[in-house]
Each structure stands twice: as structure tokens, then as C-alpha cells.
């Protein structure tokens, strides 16, 4: 009996190794938990184009939206651990949501980290109708509003929502949130003057700022962004210390073979080392992760550290979700 069990295990292991060996043999899906046209979608599509060269297979972006990105991540968690489903996410979906939603999955133990991706500071932007030319004037305008100003987000727990909570925390200004399925559509409504502000990812708003369709007041970092050097930091603009960087990453379902994770990691590192890809991403205000932070283990450690850092503030905000 023992011999039969060992033989079966050997066959399974051989099968797994053979599958890892021939991986990938069909298109791979990257689940982006926010709507098309937003910052997560934009980065995923730029990477997918370049990763297909290393992997020799197409990577398809599928937008599965809702509940601050937790629905799309859930879809990935419950996918077969065979390397053909990748979860694209960030500080919101793979950290914050764990402190807000009853997810039905564990962000650390039900997913395997693949690679840390570029990050970007947030940017405080408003509709053009706001008569403010500096952050100080904008804060005065927000405080003078009879009702809580309307802030667009990508749903409770999303990066733009966590940034809004943090903004309320440091300014004492109460905001009313309007959730969208991504900051892509939220930005459209800001350009149209339907909402008052977004504390958005720089990579999402920067082109509309450059086009003069929205107003930018400051970025949430202590150093200016090279590709947006005309926009002051919060420290320069009068909200010292309001620092927030939204980082992204790739994960796969728990149980995905290590060899396959190594192949996906290598393809990601290749893409992030490609000068044309870097130029595209840096032009959006995105900053590359340090080289020594590109291992799957580094993402795992970083995610745990961010959970320890952000969950207390998020829990204190007592976010209500249906
Ligand atoms: C998006 O792609 O829409 C964003 O990542 C959403 C967010 O977290 O603010």
C-alpha cells in the first residue's frame, strides 16, 4: 500500500514538474480588480505587452470590478493554482481591504506573491471650477463648503479611498465619498465637474492635469515627481508629512508551483528593466521598485509590513460597507 501511495505521489510530482516545464502553453489572464482606463489597468496592460515576449504567451487583462477591488481578487484566489490566473493589486486591494471587508479569503495565506510593481505618490486634484490656486486656498475652500465636499473613489478600501480617509485624518475636513468601479470613471466625472476632488494616483490624473482639465495642488511625497516637477510636494504646499505612496504587485493563487512563480517573476523583472517600458511608466509619474525588492519574498515581506502599518488607521476610521 505504501509503495502505491509513493508511486502516485511521484507521478503527481512528475506531472507538476512537467506542467511547470511546459508553462506557459496557453494565454494567461491578469485579473485587474478595477475598471478599464484607470491606473491599475494602464500599468497591467503596459506590463502584459512586454511580459508576453519573455513568456512566449499572450497575457490577457480581464477587469473584474466591485467592492474596492475585493471581488476581482476573490476571483483570482479561487482560480486553479496553475499559473494561468494572476491577481493584479495594490495597497488597497491586498492590504486595506483585509481591514474593511469580510473577504472570505486571506490576503496573505491564500495568495502567493510574485513581484512588487512600480509605485506612485497620490496627488490632490479638484475640478477646475474650484477658485483655488494653492493647496492652502483649496483647504480653505473645502472648509468653507456648507456640506461635506464630494470625493471620488474606486470604492471602500481602494487606494483613493484610503488616501481620502488619511486626508480627512490630517486636515480634519469631512468628505462625502462617491464610489466608482475605478478611478478611471471617477476622473471623468471630476473633469466634468460632477465631483469636487480625488486624492488620486498621480499616474491616473497627470495627463488631465497637463491638459488643464483639472487642478493639481500637491503630491503626497517629500520629493517632487520628475515627470511632474511643477507640482509641489505636500511639505512645500503646507500639509507637511501627509505622505502616501500607492504601490502595486502581482500575486497568484496559493499552491501555484514555485517554478511557475519564478517564471512569472522573471518576466516581470524583464519588463521592468526594459527601457521603453520604464519610460512609459515613469512618464506617468510611476517609480520603479529597487532592484533588491523584486523577489517574490520581498513582496510578501512588504505586504505584511504594510498590513501592520495601515490596518490600525483604517480600523479606527470604522469604514461601513454593505
Ligand atoms: C484604479 O485602477 O481604478 C485604482 O487603482 C483604484 C484605486 O485604488 O484608487
Amino acid at each position: 500500500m505504501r509503495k502505491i501511495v509513493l508511486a502516485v505521489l511521484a507521478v503527481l510530482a512528475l506531472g507538476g514538474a512537467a506542467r511547470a516545464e511546459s508553462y506557459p502553453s496557453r494565454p494567461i489572464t491578469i485579473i485587474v480588480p478595477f475598471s478599464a482606463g484607470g491606473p491599475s489597468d494602464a500599468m497591467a496592460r503596459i506590463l502584459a505587452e512586454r511580459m508576453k515576449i519573455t513568456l512566449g504567451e499572450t497575457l490577457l487583462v480581464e477587469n473584474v470590478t466591485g467592492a474596492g477591488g475585493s471581488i476581482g481578487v476573490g476571483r483570482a484566489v479561487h482560480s486553479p493554482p496553475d499559473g494561468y490566473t494572476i491577481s493584479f493589486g495594490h495597497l488597497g486591494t491586498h492590504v486595506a481591504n483585509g481591514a474593511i471587508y469580510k473577504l472570505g479569503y486571506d490576503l496573505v495565506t491564500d495568495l502567493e506573491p510574485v513581484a512588487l510593481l512600480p509605485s506612485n505618490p497620490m496627488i490632490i486634484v479638484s475640478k477646475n471650477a474650484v477658485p483655488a490656486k494653492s493647496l492652502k486656498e483649496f483647504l480653505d475652500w473645502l472648509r468653507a463648503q456648507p456640506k461635506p465636499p464630494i470625493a471620488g473613489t474606486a470604492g471602500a478600501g481602494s487606494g483613493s479611498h484610503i488616501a481620502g480617509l488619511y486626508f480627512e485624518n490630517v486636515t480634519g475636513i469631512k468628505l462625502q465619498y462617491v464610489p466608482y468601479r475605478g478611478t478611471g470613471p471617477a476622473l471623468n466625472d471630476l473633469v466634468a465637474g460632477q465631483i469636487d476632488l480625488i486624492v488620486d494616483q498621480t499616474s491616473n490624473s497627470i495627463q488631465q492635469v497637463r491638459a488643464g482639465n483639472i487642478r493639481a495642488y500637491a503630491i503626497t511625497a517629500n520629493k517632487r515627481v520628475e515627470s511632474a516637477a511643477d507640482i509641489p510636494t505636500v511639505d512645500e504646499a503646507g500639509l507637511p508629512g501627509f505622505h502616501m505612496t500607492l504601490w502595486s504587485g502581482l500575486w497568484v493563487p496559493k499552491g501555484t508551483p514555485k517554478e511557475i512563480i519564478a517564471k512569472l517573476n522573471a518576466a516581470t523583472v524583464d519588463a521592468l528593466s526594459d527601457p521603453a517600458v520604464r519610460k512609459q511608466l515613469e512618464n506617468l509619474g510611476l517609480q520603479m521598485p529597487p532592484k533588491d525588492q523584486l523577489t517574490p519574498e520581498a513582496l510578501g515581506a512588504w505586504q505584511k509590513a504594510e498590513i501592520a502599518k495601515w490596518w490600525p488607521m483604517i480600523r479606527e476610521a470604522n469604514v461601513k460597507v454593505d
Side-chain angles (χ1 to χ4, degrees):
M1 181 58 183
R2 194 172 129 72
K3 279 206 182 86
I4 296 169
V5 172
L6 287 174
V8 169
L9 287 175
V11 169
L12 286 174
L14 279 175
R19 269 195 302 282
E21 187 90 9
S22 63
Y23 174 86
S25 57
R26 55 187 166 85
I28 299 163
T29 298
I30 301 182
I31 296 183
V32 171
F34 297 106
S35 43
S40 299
D41 184 71
M43 193 195 312
R45 289 177 193 278
I46 290 169
L47 293 172
E49 263 319 288
R50 180 57 182 76
M51 289 172 72
K52 81 177 180 196
I53 297 172
T54 306
L55 291 164
E57 267 299 342
T58 304
L59 288 93
L60 307 166
V61 171
E62 186 183 345
N63 303 87
V64 180
T65 66
S70 60
I71 293 175
V73 176
R75 171 82 66 81
V77 164
H78 299 113
S79 298
D82 56 10
Y84 290 100
T85 305
I86 301 173
S87 173
F88 181 105
H90 57 40
L91 169 62
T93 56
H94 288 68
V95 171
N97 282 352
I100 291 175
Y101 295 93
K102 289 195 180 51
L103 293 172
Y105 53 83
D106 185 289
L107 289 168
V108 173
T109 57
D110 288 328
L111 288 159
E112 304 273 3
V114 172
L116 182 63
L117 297 178
S119 62
N120 59 158
M122 308 304 276
I123 187 169
I124 303 168
V125 288
S126 82
K127 61 186 180 184
N128 268 346
V130 172
K133 293 197 174 37
S134 68
L135 181 60
K136 189 181 166 321
E137 288 177 11
F138 183 48
L139 296 177
D140 292 346
W141 182 85
L142 290 170
R143 290 192 174 98
Q145 299 313 298
K147 287 188 295 173
I150 299 177
T153 76
S158 65
S160 44
H161 178 236
I162 302 307
L165 291 177
Y166 190 14
F167 180 83
E168 287 187 289
N169 225 307
V170 294
T171 62
I173 296 168
K174 186 97 196 73
L175 299 174
Q176 183 199 331
Y177 297 108
V178 174
Y180 294 78
R181 288 184 171 265
T183 43
L187 185 59
N188 296 341
D189 271 6
L190 189 72
V191 170
Q194 303 292 322
I195 57 177
D196 300 316
L197 74 153
I198 306 176
V199 186
D200 194 9
Q201 289 180 63
T202 302
S203 59
N204 190 45
S205 281
I206 200 63
Q207 278 144 330
Q208 293 292 0
V209 173
R210 288 179 184 141
N213 297 332
I214 57 174
R215 289 178 192 278
Y217 300 100
I219 56 145
T220 63
N222 55 12
K223 215 161 54 44
R224 293 192 179 204
V225 167
E226 253 168 63
S227 62
D230 55 327
I231 303 173
T233 66
V234 284
D235 299 343
E236 294 166 320
L239 208 50
F242 177 47
H243 298 158
M244 179 177 170
T245 293
L246 194 122
W247 52 272
S248 294
L250 296 177
W251 289 259
V252 286
K254 176 180 68 183
T256 302
K258 291 265 169 283
E259 304 83 3
I260 290 180
I261 294 175
K263 283 188 178 179
L264 289 170
N265 178 272
T268 312
V269 173
D270 275 2
L272 294 178
S273 329
D274 180 312
V277 170
R278 293 172 77 90
K279 193 157 178 294
Q280 263 182 299
L281 297 172
E282 284 164 354
N283 183 43
L284 292 173
L286 287 155
Q287 289 141 359
M288 299 302 126
K291 279 219 170 339
D292 63 353
Q293 291 297 305
L294 287 173
T295 63
E297 296 72 25
L299 174 58
W302 176 243
Q303 183 188 15
K304 289 187 186 122
E306 289 280 275
I307 286 174
K309 173 183 169 189
W310 285 97
W311 280 16
M313 185 207 79
I314 296 168
R315 289 207 163 124
E316 199 197 309
N318 198 15
V319 178
K320 296 271 174 297
V321 288
D322 309 327

